[in-house]
């Protein structure tokens, strides 16, 4: 559920970056969010993901109250994906009942990371440290990378997969870099590419390979077959992802009037669907490859293994 496309950051690949002044901005009100949450309950989903840009209009108190409301009115697990937030925010949201937090480190190459992630004034971004802190607070943690960022080498990608393992991630999201015309990486890509023979391609096939390698490196992690894969291959992208190591799909609950405004990359799949359309489509796709739709909160097998120990 994409609750806000407002973002303080100016990342060079993301369509909702602060510097994109062509984008209509929104922040969903509480009651609209809760209507979607109750729709999730009706569809027998086990969890809801609240996703936004790094929107500081989403205050500590407001989000804590929203999480408490979701927990009191439903039996859903709550996953947050709200960017880099203060320790006080993260602790308050966990105490309110949030179960999981997702923040992608995008690349383990610090120089490449700094090149495409301009920092906020006076703040040093260290997403590895943030992920470790989220674990200490008690969250299930999720992260991931883009495949084929201009300047990403094969060594970088190997280091990324090793980082999945050493961070002991509960969820791993990987998707192809898809250029957006309103970003610095949407133009001038050729000047930023790694030397010939070293640049990782941003292809559908390369994304499947990384999913498969992530599954080998992290056998107990949840790995989604993403909307980005469906954007590259609408007929069978999600199914192929599930067949090559992924075990999760993420139906979209965002109301249609907001979907097109949450354009982190262009031509995003399914922006004209309703939540009901998306549920029916996902169910059909899972059944078509001989799988069954799971039930429950979707807790990470990795997390469950630790609890049993």
């Amino acid at each position: 559920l994409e609750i806000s496309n407002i973002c303080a950051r100016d990342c060079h690949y993301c369509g909702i970056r602060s510097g994109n002044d062509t984008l209509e901005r929104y922040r969903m009100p509480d009651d609209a969010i809760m209507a979607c949450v109750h729709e999730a309950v009706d569809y027998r989903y086990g969890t809801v993901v609240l996703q936004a840009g790094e929107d500081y209009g989403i205050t500590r108190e407001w989000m804590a109250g929203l999480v408490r409301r979701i927990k009191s009115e439903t039996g859903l697990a709550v996953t947050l994906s709200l960017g880099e937030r203060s320790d006080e925010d993260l602790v308050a949201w966990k105490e309110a009942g949030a179960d999981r937090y997702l923040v992608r480190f995008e690349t383990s190459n610090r120089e490449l990371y700094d090149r495409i992630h301009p920092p906020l004034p006076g703040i040093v971004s260290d997403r590895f440290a943030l992920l470790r802190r989220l674990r200490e607070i008690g969250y299930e943690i999720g992260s991931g990378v883009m495949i084929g960022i201009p300047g990403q080498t094969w060594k970088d990608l190997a280091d990324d997969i090793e980082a999945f393992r050493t961070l002991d991630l509960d969820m791993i999201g990987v998707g192809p870099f898809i250029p957006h015309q309103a970003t610095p990486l949407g133009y001038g890509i050729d000047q930023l590419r790694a030397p010939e023979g070293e640049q990782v391609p941003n292809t559908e096939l390369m994304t499947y390979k990384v999913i498969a390698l992530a599954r080998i490196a992290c056998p107990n992690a949840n790995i989604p077959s993403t909307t980005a894969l469906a954007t590259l291959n609408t007929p069978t992208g999600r199914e192929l992802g599930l067949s090559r190591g992924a075990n999760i799909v993420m139906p979209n609950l965002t109301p249609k009037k907001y979907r097109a405004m949450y354009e982190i990359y262009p031509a995003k799949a399914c922006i004209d669907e309703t939540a009901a359309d998306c549920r029916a489509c996902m169910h059909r796709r899972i059944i078509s490859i001989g799988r069954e739709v799971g039930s429950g909160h979707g807790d990470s097998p990795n997390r469950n293994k630790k609890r049993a120990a």
Side-chain angles (χ1 to χ4, degrees), residues 175-193:
F177 163 71
I178 301 176
H180 191 293
Q181 69 279 4
T183 68
L185 288 186
Y187 44 85
I189 289 175
D190 290 342
Q191 298 95 306
L192 299 170
R193 291 175 64 85

Side-chain angles (χ1 to χ4, degrees), residues 277-303:
D277 294 334
C278 190
R279 176 186 181 274
C281 176
M282 293 290 196
H283 190 276
R284 184 176 64 251
R285 289 177 184 277
I286 292 169
I287 298 301
S288 75
I289 59 172
R291 306 285 180 84
E292 295 182 2
V293 178
S295 60
H297 285 173
D299 293 327
S300 162
N302 185 49
R303 189 72 159 176

Side-chain angles (χ1 to χ4, degrees), residues 158-180:
D159 289 343
D160 292 344
I161 296 167
E162 174 63 10
F164 299 160
R165 188 187 66 79
T166 57
L167 286 166
D168 196 22
L169 296 175
D170 299 304
M171 178 174 161
I172 299 167
V174 300
F177 163 71
I178 301 176
H180 191 293

Side-chain angles (χ1 to χ4, degrees), residues 242-264:
L242 290 171
S243 299
R244 294 169 179 178
N247 66 320
I248 297 288
V249 293
M250 299 178 74
N252 196 336
L253 290 162
T254 308
K256 282 181 66 175
K257 69 177 181 178
Y258 299 121
R259 288 195 187 197
M261 290 185 276
Y262 201 85
E263 191 185 66
I264 54 178

Side-chain angles (χ1 to χ4, degrees), residues 61-212:
E61 295 76 15
W62 181 82
M63 180 52 64
L66 182 63
V67 171
R68 282 192 292 268
R69 185 175 173 187
I70 293 171
K71 287 295 190 175
S72 68
E73 296 182 20
T74 79
L76 295 174
V78 176
T79 301
L80 303 179
S81 182
L82 305 174
E84 299 178 36
R85 301 291 300 231
S86 71
D87 197 77
E88 293 79 7
D89 290 349
L90 300 172
V91 169
W93 298 338
K94 184 70 181 70
E95 290 176 347
D99 301 279
R100 306 169 188 143
Y101 203 95
L102 310 179
V103 57
R104 285 160 60 121
F105 63 82
E106 302 298 8
T107 174
S108 56
N109 180 328
R110 185 71 213 197
E111 181 182 352
L112 179 57
Y113 180 90
D114 289 342
R115 192 187 311 160
I116 62 177
H117 293 88
L120 292 172
I123 298 176
V124 176
S125 175
D126 187 341
R127 293 195 176 181
F128 287 143
L130 176 58
L131 286 161
R132 289 190 288 269
R133 178 58 182 146
L134 287 163
R135 173 78 78 204
E136 290 173 357
I137 294 169
Y139 288 98
E140 286 187 34
I141 59 170
S143 195
V145 299
M146 287 185 293
I147 311 302
I149 307 167
Q152 182 185 52
T153 68
W154 296 108
K155 182 183 183 305
D156 294 336
L157 189 56
D159 289 343
D160 292 344
I161 296 167
E162 174 63 10
F164 299 160
R165 188 187 66 79
T166 57
L167 286 166
D168 196 22
L169 296 175
D170 299 304
M171 178 174 161
I172 299 167
V174 300
F177 163 71
I178 301 176
H180 191 293
Q181 69 279 4
T183 68
L185 288 186
Y187 44 85
I189 289 175
D190 290 342
Q191 298 95 306
L192 299 170
R193 291 175 64 85
E196 186 174 353
E198 295 185 31
Q199 173 65 50
V200 174
N202 61 328
T203 60
E204 179 187 357
L205 178 58
M206 195 66 235
T207 305
Y208 295 138
K209 289 181 177 181
V210 176
I211 288 173

